[in-house]
Amino acid sequence: MPYFPYINYKYVQSANGPIVLYLEDSLNTHMLNTLARHMNFTYELRHASDGKFGTPAEGGNWTGVVGTLQHEMADFSMDLTVTPQRAEVVEYSRAYIDESLVILSSKPKPLPEYLSVVRPLEGEVWGAIVMCVMIWGSVLWVMERLSHWISGRRYLSFTSSIFYGWGLLLEDHPFEPPPSPASQMLVGWWLLVYLILSTAYRSSLISHLVVESKSSVVNSMEELAERGVTQGWVWGVPGSPMTGVFRPFFASSSNHAILKIYELIKIIEKEEGMMRVLEGNFAYIDNYYFIKTLVSTYYTDRTGYTPVHISTTRYPLFGGNAWAFRKGAPFRARINNGIQRFLDAGLVALWMDEVIINHVRKERQALQERGDGPQLALVKPSDNQVVLGLSHLQGTFYTLILGHTLASLSFFAEIILRRR
């Protein structure tokens, strides 16, 4: 089965004859031709008649490549993922490379500027500030009432005590400090808290206004599943691998996030999947090497910029990739020994890198000759001095409008209540 960059070939339909397969540059092409040259054998290529890698069927039979080997209709297959179930009907060489799944998503997008006023502090901090103001104002009011009861001094009302705390935070206290020494000490400690909070808020606000804040990236199945619940993200996989080990990997996982991903997964082919990734709120799950090749070829510009993100967490598919043989194949041991020598010499990693680099170079050159560029829109950051504009300060004006609206509603409510 074609599975670039592991295995790649082209079909040639001869006149009044069968379809002939010709290997193209890929990892397994290097491995097979090297072994054939050194072990002096020839080979004939065939593809699975049903176009599947192999899944269990009725009566203990298998479909696809695995079924072809099970019924001894071929001698061996290149690049088949090792699973315990498949190992019962075919024999494997040693695994020579991993096959890991990654998550492809759009890079972080700018957060809305109208939240820049509240973004410098986390929600828990804002909640703690509100609670502290309410508690501090209540304590101040109690102390003022006790002071009035003991000495007969004037005291602050409860509303004035609350607004006194807010006024101190906003650097505009509404009147002179309270006359009670105990209350003055309380105000002094609150001023120390205000100094720390205001300094932290100012420095964080400046950085959020000048440096564009962006959303977080998706690096794991857990984060993707959470995005699906909280932000309505959708995800998909290509159709062909789901006829192989993708489906049992998802279905048999003990990870609850992976099972959640599997419940809502969609079958989407490459072109549509990449288009939806660029639009946002969509993730595409596929083999790491395939994703790496795809992004490097079509979605990276000359400076190395790409608008998509490949997750840092990789999810290995079972035991890796190996060659599969029909039961009792007498040449399995010699080929297995050859594959081991490839690994010892570092040739597998070398060939894989060369295949990807050559493919990327060839495809990008073809794009250039056709006058097509990478499939992305590049917006380069400016190196000029950042001048704050209305877009940066829109949160401030929204706050002002909200304050005027609430004050107006309170005013009209007061008028209505007094007329009653």
Side-chain angles (χ1 to χ4, degrees):
M1 288 285 292
Y3 194 33
F4 189 85
Y6 297 93
I7 179 68
N8 194 30
Y9 54 81
K10 63 180 179 180
Y11 302 82
V12 176
Q13 177 69 61
S14 59
N16 301 323
I19 297 177
V20 181
L21 307 183
Y22 291 96
L23 285 173
E24 294 189 331
D25 191 30
S26 65
L27 173 61
N28 280 266
T29 301
H30 285 279
M31 295 174 62
L32 180 61
N33 288 336
T34 303
L35 287 174
R37 185 170 61 253
H38 284 272
M39 296 183 180
N40 192 29
F41 67 84
T42 59
Y43 56 84
E44 178 185 345
L45 294 175
R46 298 177 182 175
H47 66 279
S49 58
D50 57 4
K52 297 180 180 180
F53 285 96
T55 55
E58 297 179 354
N61 295 315
W62 284 69
T63 63
V65 175
V66 179
T68 303
L69 295 174
Q70 179 188 22
H71 298 290
E72 300 187 0
M73 299 169 63
D75 291 308
F76 69 94
S77 168
M78 297 177 291
D79 199 74
L80 200 62
T81 304
V82 179
T83 68
Q85 294 79 12
R86 290 176 173 176
E88 295 178 359
V89 296
V90 300
E91 294 180 347
Y92 280 104
S93 69
R94 67 146 299 146
Y96 56 87
I97 197 170
D98 68 308
E99 183 181 6
S100 299
L101 294 184
V102 291
I103 304 168
L104 184 69
S105 59
S106 61
K107 276 190 173 178
K109 299 185 180 299
L111 295 174
E113 289 290 350
Y114 62 83
L115 295 177
S116 59
V117 176
V118 298
R119 199 179 297 136
L121 302 178
E122 293 185 354
E124 294 82 356
V125 178
W126 284 114
I129 291 176
V130 172
M131 290 297 299
C132 288
V133 170
M134 300 300 295
I135 294 174
W136 184 89
S138 301
V139 172
L140 177 64
W141 176 73
V142 170
M143 294 181 68
E144 285 291 287
R145 289 301 302 266
L146 291 176
S147 176
H148 171 75
W149 180 67
I150 295 174
S151 61
R153 294 191 184 98
R154 60 181 177 84
Y155 64 93
L156 299 175
S157 65
F158 180 77
T159 304
S160 299
S161 300
I162 297 297
F163 275 102
Y164 195 93
W166 279 120
L168 291 177
L169 280 180
L170 300 176
E171 301 182 355
D172 186 23
H173 58 86
F175 35 75
E176 296 298 323
S180 168
S183 299
Q184 292 176 2
M185 184 176 296
L186 187 65
V187 170
W189 282 106
W190 185 245
L191 288 173
L192 179 62
V193 173
Y194 145 75
L195 177 64
I196 298 173
L197 289 175
S198 62
T199 303
Y201 178 78
R202 281 198 192 96
S203 59
S204 183
L205 177 62
I206 292 173
S207 64
H208 278 80
L209 290 176
V210 176
V211 180
E212 192 175 47
S213 300
K214 296 183 178 180
S215 58
S216 58
V217 296
V218 176
N219 277 322
S220 67
M221 296 288 186
E222 288 78 8
E223 294 174 356
L224 180 58
E226 183 181 356
R227 294 281 181 98
V229 174
T230 60
Q231 301 180 25
W233 274 54
V234 184
W235 44 85
V237 295
S240 178
M242 287 299 280
T243 67
V245 294
F246 276 29
R247 190 179 301 277
F249 167 78
F250 284 106
S252 62
S253 176
S254 59
N255 187 315
H256 294 293
I258 295 179
L259 293 175
K260 183 66 175 179
I261 296 292
Y262 179 59
E263 290 177 4
L264 304 175
I265 207 163
K266 298 180 181 298
I267 304 298
I268 298 177
E269 295 308 322
K270 178 187 68 176
E271 290 76 12
E272 181 184 355
M274 291 304 303
M275 181 181 65
R276 296 185 63 177
V277 166
L278 294 175
E279 291 174 353
N281 287 3
F282 182 83
Y284 200 56
I285 305 172
D286 205 345
N287 174 269
Y288 167 73
Y289 290 107
F290 175 78
I291 289 293
K292 178 182 177 182
T293 305
L294 180 66
V295 172
S296 300
T297 304
Y298 300 105
Y299 301 93
T300 303
D301 73 351
R302 293 180 178 179
T303 65
Y305 168 82
T306 175
V308 296
H309 171 75
I310 302 175
S311 65
T312 55
T313 305
R314 300 186 191 181
Y315 296 88
L317 292 179
F318 301 102
N321 287 21
W323 285 10
F325 300 80
R326 60 177 173 81
K327 288 282 189 177
F331 41 79
R332 184 177 72 90
R334 291 194 62 192
I335 291 181
N336 193 48
N337 182 56
I339 293 177
Q340 181 62 56
R341 293 175 66 182
F342 290 157
L343 292 170
D344 295 340
L347 289 175
V348 172
L350 174 67
W351 285 333
M352 178 60 90
D353 290 339
E354 288 182 349
V355 166
I356 293 176
I357 292 173
N358 292 336
H359 178 82
V360 171
R361 184 184 296 116
K362 179 180 178 182
E363 290 297 320
R364 290 178 71 90
Q365 183 177 357
L367 288 174
Q368 187 176 4
E369 292 175 353
R370 294 196 304 266
D372 299 330
Q375 301 177 18
L376 56 89
L378 174 60
V379 180
K380 294 184 177 180
S382 174
D383 295 331
N384 298 328
Q385 184 177 1
V386 176
V387 179
L388 296 182
L390 186 61
S391 62
H392 296 89
L393 300 175
Q394 56 182 284
T396 305
F397 292 98
Y398 286 146
T399 304
L400 178 62
I401 294 173
L402 177 62
H404 279 294
T405 303
L406 294 177
S408 300
L409 292 176
S410 176
F411 174 72
F412 289 123
E414 184 178 357
I415 293 176
I416 294 173
L417 293 176
R418 286 193 174 184
R419 285 184 177 179
R420 291 182 178 179

